[in-house]
Amino acid sequence: MHDELRRRRSRLLSLPAIIVVAVVTQAPILATLGLSLVRWIVVRPDLGITFIGLDNYADIFTSRDFYEVVLNTVVITVASLAICTVLGILFGLMLNRDFPGVNIVRTLIISPFFVMDAVAGIVWRTIILNSSFGWNGYFATLFGVKPFDFFGVHSLLTIVILIVWQWTPFFVLIILAGFQNIEPEIMDSARVDGTGWLRELLFIRLPVIMNHIEVAVLLGLIFVLKVFGLIFVTTRGGPGYSSSNLPYYVYRTAFLGWDVGHAAAVAVVTVVVTLLAIMALFRWFRRRVTEAA
Amino acid sequence: MSRGSRALRRAPGIALIWLAAILWCFPLLYMLITSFKGEADVLPPSLWIAHPTLENYATVLQHEIVRYILDSAVISVTAVAACLVFGVPVAYALVFGGLRNSDNLYFWFLSTTLLPPVAVIVPVFLLFRVTGLLDTLGGMILIYTGVNVPIVIWMTRSFLLDVPREILESSDMDGSSRLRSFFSIILPLARQGIVSTGLLVFIFVWNEFFFSINLTYVNAAPVPVYMASFMTQQGLFWAKLCAISTLVVLPPMILGWLAQRSLVKGLTMGAVKG
Amino acid sequence: MTRSAVCKAVLLLACSLATHRGAFAAGAREGATPVRLTVATVNNPDMGIMQRLSGEFTAATGIQLSFVVLPENELRQKVTEDVGLGSGRYDVVTIGTYDTPIWGKNRWLISLEPLFARMSAANRDAYAREDILPTIRAALSYNGEQFALPFYGESSMVFYRKDLFARAGLTMPREPTWKQIHDFAVKLRGLDGCYGIVLRGLPGWGEALAPFNTVVNAFGGRWFDESWRPAFGEPAMAEAWRFYKRLLNDAGEPNPTTDGYTECLAIMQSGKAALWYDATVSASALEAPDSKVAGRIGYALAPSARRGNTGWLWAWSLGIESSSRHPAEAFRFITWATDRKYITLVGRRVGWAQVPPGTRASTYSNPDYQAAAPFAGMVLRSIQDADYERPTLLPVPYKGIQYVSIPEFQSLGEAVSQQLAAYISGQKPLEQALADSQAAALKVARDGGYLKERPPASHTQ
């Protein structure tokens, strides 16, 4: 009886949120599904809107560009998340002490997170990495070498760098919180045993904060998969498609080609791919945690 | 070991940390420096400000920016409040509510965040047009709430998971209602977590670019739209862009500075032992 | 229970108030005068001046103006959204010569002919429509009807450093060839630490493709043949690609795929390049007081190769959305912003060098303007001669010099400019880049219904 009451109340508590989220996100998803089955090119109203079934999806899976974009997305995501985790741990260790100005240092390190990614992109692109008059060009002339081609051959690397710069603060905050929550007895007993700091880090601290790392990586995955503004402002997905990820590919189809149907199909595929990735990661983490326990 | 010599030994380490932090933050620090330069002095780059000027800030701080800042503030604060009001009860229900399929519900919420804004903008635009929500504060609040509630649910749920069950059970036995125990016991414990979640959502909404450009025109335009007008293709604009970027970064950064301790401590539970 | 219910009620109230604020405002607009026009514009200096002076318009007519200012890409996207998805919030939109004929055809803009017909004789004389340069007017028309009025117009030309040329003992002919440009650039490279030449390489149909397409035209290449078969396999096209990369490699700026118009302007303005080929409007920026090279710039017509007269044609123009509720007032505004009185107003209030160029013949016969803009004659010649209808050596089924005037060009141009960037940066060999461009163009030609024939049995991807 008591349980039933609890359940009813829980359902009531959840209802408003379910309604809001459903209206705002599910309705568009359904609409996107519907749009993915039509041919609608906004700039060609003379061609009208016609139902074409799964043709958009057929186009996607037979286009070489799509697979390049998927590969890019995988590379960007895996590389960014890995580097962010490592940097998050490093910075977390650094900030987990008490020294003069620790608050300022912490603010400096997390500040990239507060900047709009469109602005961050422009600042990096023109003032830092530009080969003619950015710091890149400046140092190149200083050392007498050809400036590094950040936006040509190495555009994917540049995108990873920018994403890492922007999202490491997020990881730092969560991991630092984890470090600060480690009960002092664990640390004291490790010190008594005489373990070196590296082993202490790897075998004692990290497993304890695994929960935090999981939250950071899963949330980070969701956000990094959606990155758009950075790419839009710096490399425009290029050269070719070499630095396009799935959201940027959607943009190019939707707002340059104005092929709304095709873009919707890519969007649906993006969601499915992301869902699978999240589920896989989720399960991997669950297994690690139960193994460690 | 004396205090003095220990401090001395730590000094190079601390200096290294300071250096790392400054290098890491360099693009932003340089952005701040550039905002005080005249447009002609922006390129080539140098740390030295040849002719320091406030003209960029003057240009940027025209009276009309107040309207954008006000719109951004209303939208962000209301969206954060709405997200918390809608989301925290759900997290509570998921953790303590005894629902049979709480994992499925949790997962469903999570999955709604997977869709990139680029993908849904056309349906959302049409939806807003049909319901008259285009270019309204309410419309922007609605969409930001819908998009960010799942994040609030996720983070709050993980804080609540850390609340030891024993506390709740002991208060149950005391006979206090669930609601009272929520407000008097759980909420204080999770307060810092909720603050940090709120701050996170604020940052996301404040900085959000894509929806704000596409779904507003003149009546509900937030700050990112004003910023976009400085990203011009003709003529020099970098110093002005740096000035307005510095201004726009300030609110989240000040909030982050003030809520710093909450931000860090709040992403975990307090040291409550069972 | 009570507390959260109260919270929710307050929230609901706030939301409904917020939603209605817009509605109330709209209601107030419709019911009472004054009329308020929403104008979508790009952010460039000329538009900025127009905004500053718009108070004059409001004072004279009582019509209020709200400006929405966005970068070009966002503006085009948002305005296309607005007209294409039927929300019609803008009255006046700023569009280019690329968009105007297409939107006119789609009936997204209202034809200006009936509005002109309804003008009083006095107003019509004052506006002097025939004063507008014919090439620009043609580029803003579809089927003989004009759909937008030009705010400022431009072509392309060569900018060079007179002082460096003198030091190297070189003379720039009035209409150089691309081979000459290449040789000049190589000779001048390194002088005063300069790049020989700076050229756009940033991907984008309105970025690198603008100057690059004129190079293609000059070499005798084309995008499609008369039957809409893509022509990327033609030898002239390959030659143009090879030349552009060679020029950049031999004497251009490093890593050019980062440099769009803004970056190139910055490079030239700070004195880091000896040559630049780009939009004619850059001249006023290069001669501005804050430019490091003011007074040291010489001008030449767009270079030729197998074909001359290759300068491009573009005009930012003001059109009226067909869903606008105030077309008459909008028409008053766009005629105000594009007539001779406005130009004189700018000349007197701001300066004759900042007058919006390239729209009217009267601007160029104005002695004040000629005094302030030594490059004016060459710009006028470029715009007047621009061959918008027949841009290429061989016949083509499309119009447009630096673009192909079809709706799909936004996407196709973007794709091809990406291939160009891949080729220039060394990521792809030429054959691959051209093949991929060809494939993209073929898809557009077929899907868009331009190419009428059946695909051959063995078609390459």
Side-chain angles (χ1 to χ4, degrees):
Chain A
M1 247 297 263
H2 190 220
D3 280 344
E4 187 48 46
L5 210 65
R6 259 176 65 198
R7 271 197 286 273
R8 191 128 40 102
R9 176 164 39 200
S10 304
R11 280 194 280 265
L12 209 65
L13 283 175
S14 320
L15 208 57
I18 295 180
I19 293 176
V20 169
V21 172
V23 162
V24 171
T25 63
Q26 305 297 73
I29 292 183
L30 288 173
T32 305
L33 256 169
L35 281 176
S36 70
L37 302 173
V38 304
R39 196 167 120 86
W40 179 14
I41 303 185
V42 178
V43 286
R44 291 291 304 269
D46 54 316
L47 292 178
I49 306 179
T50 51
F51 179 79
I52 55 170
L54 296 176
D55 277 0
N56 279 323
Y57 292 97
D59 274 342
I60 294 175
F61 289 115
T62 53
S63 102
R64 203 183 49 196
D65 298 329
F66 173 71
Y67 293 106
E68 183 178 356
V69 167
V70 169
L71 187 64
N72 291 341
T73 312
V74 169
V75 168
I76 290 177
T77 312
V78 169
S80 310
L81 290 179
I83 301 178
C84 276
T85 310
V86 168
L87 282 181
I89 295 175
L90 272 174
F91 283 134
L93 285 173
M94 265 171 39
L95 295 175
N96 193 24
R97 320 150 155 229
D98 200 17
F99 56 87
V102 60
N103 283 334
I104 302 181
V105 172
R106 190 163 49 211
T107 315
L108 285 181
I109 290 190
I110 65 177
S111 53
F113 192 60
F114 300 128
V115 187
M116 254 171 59
D117 49 358
V119 167
I122 292 190
V123 169
W124 274 88
R125 192 185 107 193
T126 44
I127 300 186
I128 313 282
L129 297 181
N130 188 287
S131 310
S132 294
F133 44 70
W135 286 100
N136 179 19
Y138 178 78
F139 282 121
T141 340
L142 209 62
F143 297 130
V145 295
K146 185 172 181 296
F148 192 71
D149 192 7
F150 279 103
F151 299 102
V153 189
H154 303 110
S155 54
L156 198 61
L157 172 69
T158 308
I159 296 292
V160 171
I161 293 177
L162 291 179
I163 293 180
V164 164
W165 185 71
Q166 243 200 348
W167 284 97
T168 299
F170 181 72
F171 279 70
V172 168
L173 284 174
I174 297 185
I175 294 179
L176 177 62
F179 279 144
Q180 296 200 331
N181 190 41
I182 299 181
E183 285 148 10
E185 294 99 52
I186 300 184
M187 302 305 305
D188 289 340
S189 62
R191 234 164 266 138
V192 163
D193 281 349
T195 21
W197 70 267
L198 187 62
R199 307 196 87 219
E200 173 190 307
L201 172 69
L202 288 178
F203 296 114
I204 300 181
R205 292 213 236 191
L206 283 189
V208 171
I209 64 167
M210 213 39 171
N211 196 31
H212 287 77
I213 297 186
E214 175 189 354
V215 169
V217 171
L218 280 176
L219 268 182
L221 173 68
I222 292 182
F223 292 125
V224 170
L225 279 169
K226 291 200 281 194
V227 163
F228 166 75
L230 280 175
I231 298 181
F232 176 66
V233 159
T234 53
T235 64
R236 298 185 66 82
Y241 278 103
S242 58
S243 63
S244 293
N245 64 355
L246 283 167
Y248 190 78
Y249 188 59
V250 172
Y251 169 80
R252 234 168 104 165
T253 322
F255 293 107
L256 288 172
W258 289 100
D259 191 346
V260 176
H262 190 92
V266 180
V268 170
V269 172
T270 307
V271 171
V272 170
V273 164
T274 318
L275 210 61
L276 292 174
I278 294 250
M279 275 168 34
L281 208 57
F282 210 58
R283 225 156 271 166
W284 187 75
F285 266 111
R286 284 274 150 255
R287 216 168 348 122
R288 291 210 84 202
V289 168
T290 45
E291 273 169 19
Chain B
M1 201 179 308
S2 80
R3 265 269 196 88
S5 67
R6 221 192 31 197
L8 219 58
R9 262 191 40 190
R10 291 175 61 196
I14 298 176
L16 214 64
I17 294 180
W18 269 92
L19 189 64
I22 290 181
L23 275 180
W24 178 257
C25 188
F26 177 71
L28 295 179
L29 293 173
Y30 190 66
M31 187 177 87
L32 179 67
I33 293 176
T34 310
S35 68
F36 292 110
K37 293 186 179 176
E39 287 287 5
D41 296 330
V42 172
L43 314 159
S46 81
L47 291 174
W48 176 245
I49 307 177
H51 307 111
T53 170
L54 287 175
E55 69 186 11
N56 300 310
Y57 286 98
T59 315
V60 155
L61 282 175
Q62 299 158 11
H63 68 281
E64 56 170 19
I65 195 184
V66 176
R67 164 182 122 214
Y68 291 96
I69 292 185
L70 226 59
D71 282 343
S72 264
V74 168
I75 294 175
S76 307
V77 171
T78 318
V80 169
C83 283
L84 290 176
V85 163
F86 286 120
V88 170
V90 176
Y92 177 83
L94 285 176
V95 174
F96 301 116
L99 289 171
R100 262 185 292 257
N101 48 1
S102 71
D103 263 355
N104 287 343
L105 186 63
Y106 172 54
F107 211 71
W108 176 78
F109 271 113
L110 230 56
S111 66
T112 63
T113 62
L114 297 177
L115 206 59
V118 198
V120 282
I121 189 63
V122 172
V124 169
F125 186 87
L126 291 170
L127 202 71
F128 271 35
R129 183 183 67 113
V130 160
T131 54
L133 286 174
L134 268 185
D135 201 22
T136 57
L137 292 175
M140 300 311 292
I141 295 173
L142 179 65
I143 192 150
Y144 287 138
T145 307
V147 164
N148 287 305
V149 156
I151 297 176
V152 171
I153 293 176
W154 183 334
M155 300 200 82
T156 313
R157 174 180 169 277
S158 70
F159 311 145
L160 292 181
L161 277 177
D162 281 346
V163 171
R165 292 265 166 164
E166 304 87 62
I167 291 200
L168 264 183
E169 278 156 25
S170 67
S171 87
D172 266 357
M173 298 209 302
D174 279 350
S176 51
S177 80
R178 266 310 167 90
L179 189 69
R180 260 194 57 203
S181 43
F182 176 74
F183 277 107
S184 58
I185 299 178
I186 300 181
L187 209 52
L189 284 177
R191 186 172 49 95
Q192 287 176 325
I194 293 181
V195 163
S196 57
T197 312
L199 180 63
L200 215 63
V201 174
F202 179 85
I203 294 174
F204 288 151
V205 175
W206 180 268
N207 283 341
E208 204 282 326
F209 189 77
F210 199 71
F211 281 137
S212 36
I213 294 251
N214 282 289
L215 298 175
T216 67
Y217 291 79
V218 283
N219 286 326
V223 171
V225 176
Y226 186 64
M227 293 204 54
S229 71
F230 285 98
M231 299 182 202
T232 176
Q233 273 202 319
Q234 295 217 0
L236 299 173
F237 66 102
W238 289 298
K240 289 193 258 314
L241 184 68
C242 286
I244 183 147
S245 309
T246 311
L247 287 178
V248 167
V249 162
L250 278 181
M253 209 173 270
I254 292 178
L255 280 176
W257 170 266
L258 290 176
Q260 233 191 100
R261 240 167 274 270
S262 284
L263 201 58
V264 170
K265 277 217 180 69
L267 290 172
T268 176
M269 276 306 300
V272 175
K273 303 203 178 62
Chain C
M1 217 58 201
T2 342
R3 207 179 298 185
S4 57
V6 167
C7 280
K8 285 179 192 144
V10 168
L11 211 61
L12 214 61
L13 190 64
C15 277
S16 54
L17 275 179
T19 324
H20 280 120
R21 190 183 108 172
F24 281 150
R29 255 182 280 141
E30 297 217 32
T33 46
V35 171
R36 178 170 280 273
L37 297 174
T38 311
V39 181
T41 80
V42 279
N43 186 12
N44 57 43
D46 297 281
M47 290 295 184
I49 294 175
M50 173 178 70
Q51 283 179 69
R52 288 210 301 273
L53 296 175
S54 60
E56 304 271 325
F57 175 76
T58 306
T61 62
I63 302 173
Q64 307 267 1
L65 300 166
S66 283
F67 286 95
V68 176
V69 181
L70 288 170
E72 177 182 341
N73 286 325
E74 279 75 13
L75 181 75
R76 179 172 289 111
Q77 172 197 322
K78 203 150 154 56
V79 179
T80 309
E81 222 171 51
D82 197 59
V83 282
L85 300 180
S87 71
R89 292 301 192 93
Y90 296 119
D91 296 292
V92 175
V93 290
T94 306
I95 47 180
T97 46
Y98 169 70
D99 319 271
T100 310
I102 295 172
W103 290 21
K105 180 175 173 201
N106 289 347
R107 290 279 168 240
W108 288 350
L109 301 167
I110 61 177
S111 166
L112 300 177
E113 302 304 329
L115 290 161
F116 271 116
R118 264 181 273 161
M119 266 179 132
S120 71
N123 281 343
R124 214 176 307 157
D125 287 339
Y127 188 72
R129 203 171 155 191
E130 59 288 350
D131 185 34
I132 296 180
L133 298 170
T135 43
I136 300 246
R137 181 171 158 177
L140 294 174
S141 308
Y142 176 73
N143 266 359
E145 294 179 271
Q146 195 170 353
F147 284 92
L149 298 178
F151 184 69
Y152 79 76
E154 64 179 42
S155 178
S156 56
M157 63 192 198
V158 173
F159 306 93
Y160 66 96
R161 288 276 298 278
K162 287 191 294 200
D163 52 338
L164 296 179
F165 262 67
R167 267 180 36 203
L170 303 168
T171 344
M172 172 70 82
R174 196 153 183 272
E175 186 169 356
T177 65
W178 276 110
K179 179 156 193 337
Q180 285 173 317
I181 297 284
H182 176 267
D183 295 340
F184 287 147
V186 169
K187 287 206 189 85
L188 292 166
R189 182 187 51 184
L191 216 56
D192 271 2
C194 275
Y195 306 131
I197 187 169
V198 59
L199 286 171
R200 297 192 205 176
L202 185 70
W205 69 267
E207 287 286 3
L209 225 50
F212 179 68
N213 257 346
T214 64
V215 176
V216 169
N217 294 340
F219 275 76
R222 55 186 175 170
W223 280 63
F224 298 95
D225 69 13
E226 309 94 302
S227 328
W228 282 104
R229 267 187 303 260
F232 284 88
E234 292 180 358
M237 177 67 92
E239 202 184 326
W241 284 60
R242 248 181 256 123
F243 176 78
Y244 204 73
K245 177 172 179 175
R246 193 164 60 94
L247 179 56
L248 282 169
N249 272 351
D250 290 348
E253 79 272 24
N255 300 333
T257 54
T258 337
D259 296 326
Y261 176 74
T262 332
E263 288 79 13
C264 290
L265 174 64
I267 292 177
M268 195 65 184
Q269 244 183 346
S270 50
K272 284 195 77 166
L275 281 162
W276 186 29
Y277 170 64
D278 215 304
T280 54
V281 287
S282 325
S284 47
L286 290 175
E287 298 286 1
D290 60 358
S291 157
K292 298 202 178 83
V293 295
R296 292 187 277 158
I297 298 285
Y299 306 92
L301 293 171
S304 59
R306 286 200 189 87
R307 189 204 135 95
N309 188 24
T310 58
W312 76 58
L313 187 68
W314 181 264
W316 277 116
S317 320
L318 301 170
I320 307 175
E321 269 195 27
S322 48
S323 53
S324 166
R325 273 168 276 183
H326 311 287
E329 289 82 356
F331 187 65
R332 279 184 82 178
F333 174 68
I334 65 176
T335 45
W336 171 82
T338 57
D339 78 9
R340 290 177 295 195
K341 281 200 298 274
Y342 174 78
I343 295 180
T344 318
L345 180 67
V346 176
R348 291 220 193 95
R349 285 281 195 85
V350 186
W352 279 100
Q354 277 97 315
V355 152
T359 53
R360 288 171 167 274
S362 55
T363 315
Y364 289 89
S365 46
N366 184 317
D368 292 316
Y369 182 65
Q370 286 169 345
F375 42 83
M378 200 163 273
V379 173
L380 178 66
R381 160 101 191 268
S382 300
I383 296 180
Q384 280 176 326
D385 291 349
D387 209 344
Y388 173 74
E389 313 263 338
R390 265 179 308 270
T392 54
L393 199 61
L394 300 171
V396 287
Y398 56 83
K399 298 193 188 156
I401 304 173
Q402 75 272 31
Y403 51 80
V404 175
S405 189
I406 55 176
E408 292 86 348
F409 185 74
Q410 271 185 72
S411 152
L412 177 62
E414 175 84 14
V416 172
S417 69
Q418 292 282 9
Q419 299 300 333
L420 181 68
Y423 168 59
I424 291 179
S425 63
Q427 240 188 14
K428 268 193 194 182
L430 181 61
E431 303 72 38
Q432 184 67 49
L434 286 175
D436 290 344
S437 304
Q438 176 84 354
L442 192 59
K443 188 164 197 306
V444 162
R446 288 215 190 101
D447 289 350
Y450 302 102
L451 187 58
K452 304 288 193 261
E453 65 187 46
R454 308 217 37 144
S458 59
H459 87 100
T460 46
Q461 164 62 359

